[in-house]
Amino acid sequence: MVEVGSRTWNALYQQRPSPAGGSIFKREWIRYYVRTQEQHREWALSNDVAILPTHFDKMAQSWDCTFKGTDTSDYVAGGVWGRKKAQYFLFDIDHRRMGFADTMKAIRAMSDKWPNARSKYIEDKANGSAIIEMLKDEISGIVPVDPDGGKEARANAVSPLFEAGNVYLPHPNMCLGLRTLLKSLYPSLTQHMTI
């Protein structure tokens, strides 16, 4: 049995590849968390903002590397995620234009900052292949990943997790650059949203 989200259902069975909202991600699918109950009270947040769990079933890093660090090159995207049962929490992200050496420094820094993120999934494309080769004997837990499809295909693959309310991002009060970052990572996520 294969589970599908509303976008896939609309495409397969309703002959409408995009839901009425028009994008891969919808604003109402975004869930947030804060670190403590005190933050939740201090900021007078609604009950749909979660309190970050204290323990996680798994923590991991994920890296999408690029070839060059020029002003016109793609961004390197690295993040640290934690999973607690069916819920996924984004802890940290590094999203910059970086060359080879700076990407290696960023992976080292993220590994030092988040030692419990033992798995480091690095896309085995672009500079990723060389970075994997250079760091595999220095940093434990490096796992090469050969992704299926492009960014849109990968966004579609995880959109059911967002739709189900299983993905939590740091509340914008905690992460002031989140709005800008989300717009650059997933324009369809933020096309009609105010975060």
Side-chain angles (χ1 to χ4, degrees), residues 6-20:
S6 62
R7 179 177 165 81
T8 303
W9 175 265
N10 282 329
L12 291 173
Y13 301 106
Q14 303 297 323
Q15 303 303 306
R16 289 188 323 247
S18 294

Side-chain angles (χ1 to χ4, degrees), residues 66-69 98-105 127 129-131 134:
T66 61
F67 279 115
K68 296 179 182 178
M98 293 184 262
F100 183 80
D102 287 335
T103 302
M104 287 185 32
K105 286 179 191 173
N127 269 347
S129 301
I131 288 168
M134 296 291 291

Side-chain angles (χ1 to χ4, degrees), residues 118-167:
R118 291 184 177 90
S119 300
K120 288 95 175 163
Y121 300 102
I122 301 177
E123 189 173 309
D124 199 3
K125 303 264 186 211
N127 269 347
S129 301
I131 288 168
I132 291 166
E133 187 64 30
M134 296 291 291
L135 293 178
K136 69 180 182 181
D137 293 327
E138 177 185 335
I139 298 174
S140 63
I142 291 180
V143 179
V145 176
D146 188 12
D148 291 333
K151 285 181 176 32
E152 186 172 339
R154 288 180 266 164
N156 281 317
V158 298
S159 68
L161 298 174
F162 281 84
E163 185 176 6
N166 296 128
V167 178

Side-chain angles (χ1 to χ4, degrees), residues 10 24-25 29 53 57 86 94 106 115 122 154 157:
N10 282 329
I24 297 171
F25 300 98
W29 296 352
D57 301 325
D94 193 341
I122 301 177
R154 288 180 266 164

